[in-house]
Amino acid sequence: MSMIRDLRAVVRPSLRKNSASKYDSYDATRDPSASSAVVDCAVYREGRRLESAPCVTPHEAMLRVRESGGFAWIGLHEPTEEEFAGIAAEFGLHPLAVEDAVHAHQRPKLERYDDTLFTVFKTIHYVEHTELTATSEVVETGEVMCFTGRDFVITVRHGGRGSLRNLRHRLEGDSELLAKGPSAVLHSIADHVVDGYIAVAGAVQDDIDEVEIAVFSEPAKGSKRGSDAGRIYQLKREVLEFKRAVSPLLRPMQLLSERPMRLIDPDIQKYFRDVADHLARVHEQVIGFDELLNSILQANLAQATVAQNEDMRKITSWAAIIAVPTAVCGVYGMNFDYMPELEWKYGYPLVLMAIGTICLTIHRMLKRNGWL
C-alpha cells in the first residue's frame, strides 16, 4: 500500500501540471462536426449557476471555480477514452475509476480515491408493453457514475434513458440545497435513482398480479393449464436484473448515511438516511417479487402436472372400456369349431348386448369416480 501511495504522489502532480495542455490538445483535435460527450458544464456559486460566463470546456470551468469559488458540475454521456482523458487529467481522477466510467457494466458501489468519491448507480426504466409475453422486455437498465470532489461533480451516464437534465434544472431551482456543494448533487442523484426504483417496483407488481391471476383462474378456451411458464420465467429474469441493481447499492447508501466523510456535508448526510430507507423498502419488495414468482412458477408446474395426470386418467379409462370388446372379439376371432353359441341365431346380438352393457357399466363407474 505504501508503494501505491508513493506512486500516486509522483504521478498526481505531473497529471495536474499537464492537465490544461492535454485537455486543450484533445479539444483542438476534435472534429467540430462530431457530437461531444459533454452534455452540460456549469459552475455554481452559493447555489446559483453562473450564467454570465457560460463554460466552454471543463478546464475553463475549473479556472472559474478557482477564481470565484463554488463548484463545477460536468455531465457526460457515454464518453470514449479519448473524450474522457483530458477531463480525467484535469481533475486528477484515478485511472481505475476512469476505466470503470468509460467501459461501464459496473456493479453499484462506492469507492474512495484520495479526495474523490466514485459512486456507481444502476438506473432502471420500466418498458411499457400491451401484453406480457415470454419474450417481453420488462426493465431496461443503464448506469450513472458520479465523481465527487471538494469543488467538482462529474457525472457519466450510460444508456439511452435516465437523463439528469430535469434533475439539474430542479436543483438549480433550489439554491439553498445546491449551496451545500457537490454532496447535494450526489444526494439528489441517489434520490433520483431510488425514486425510479420505486416507480418500476409498482409497475412490476402489476405484471406479477396479472400473471398470478392468469395462473389461478380458469384457462381460456383453447388454452391449457401450465401454459404460462414462459411468461413467468421471463418476468423472473427481469426481476433478477432489477435485484442486481438494488441489492449492491444497500451498502454504499448505508455508508453515506452513517459514516462521517469529509466530502459529505453533515446536513446532507441526514438526507441520505431517507434514501437508504427507501432503498431498503424497494429491496424488500424485489426479494418478495422473486419469492412470489418462485411460488407462482411452482404452482404453474403443479397445474401442468395435474393436467397431465387428468389426461392420463382419461386415456386409461377409455383404454379399459375398449379392452372389453377387444377381448371378446379376440376370443371369438379364434378359428375353433367348438365354441359356445356359434350356431345359435341369437348368439351374435347377445354378445353385442353383453359388450355394450359391460362397457356402459365401466364408463359409469369411471365417471362417478371422476376419471371421465
Side-chain angles (χ1 to χ4, degrees), residues 252-259 269-270 272-274 276:
M253 288 299 102
Q254 184 180 6
L255 292 175
L256 288 172
S257 62
E258 296 178 357
R259 180 178 296 180
Q269 192 168 35
K270 300 175 184 177
F272 275 110
R273 297 174 188 170
D274 185 60

Side-chain angles (χ1 to χ4, degrees), residues 239-372:
V239 168
L240 180 60
E241 188 73 16
F242 194 2
K243 183 179 178 181
R244 288 172 179 168
V246 174
S247 297
L249 194 58
L250 288 171
R251 181 58 179 168
M253 288 299 102
Q254 184 180 6
L255 292 175
L256 288 172
S257 62
E258 296 178 357
R259 180 178 296 180
M261 297 184 182
R262 287 183 298 172
L263 297 174
I264 303 298
D265 189 283
D267 293 334
I268 295 297
Q269 192 168 35
K270 300 175 184 177
Y271 289 93
F272 275 110
R273 297 174 188 170
D274 185 60
V275 177
D277 180 65
H278 291 170
L279 182 65
R281 187 178 66 183
V282 174
H283 181 256
E284 291 175 358
Q285 283 184 283
V286 175
I287 296 298
F289 291 162
D290 192 34
E291 294 177 354
L292 181 58
L293 284 171
N294 283 335
S295 300
I296 294 175
L297 183 60
Q298 291 176 1
N300 184 74
L301 296 177
Q303 287 180 343
T305 303
V306 170
Q308 290 176 353
N309 290 338
E310 290 178 354
D311 292 340
M312 289 303 299
R313 288 199 301 180
K314 290 179 180 180
I315 294 172
T316 303
S317 299
W318 285 111
I321 294 173
I322 295 174
V324 175
T326 301
V328 174
C329 295
V331 170
Y332 277 91
M334 293 185 294
N335 298 320
F336 291 109
D337 292 333
Y338 301 102
M339 295 185 70
E341 313 303 340
L342 285 179
E343 302 296 332
W344 186 36
K345 67 177 182 178
Y346 299 111
Y348 180 68
L350 179 63
V351 170
L352 291 181
M353 289 178 61
I355 291 174
T357 302
I358 296 173
C359 289
L360 289 174
T361 302
I362 295 174
H363 183 274
R364 185 177 180 181
M365 293 174 58
L366 292 173
K367 194 173 185 66
R368 184 171 57 189
N369 292 331
W371 283 55
L372 287 174

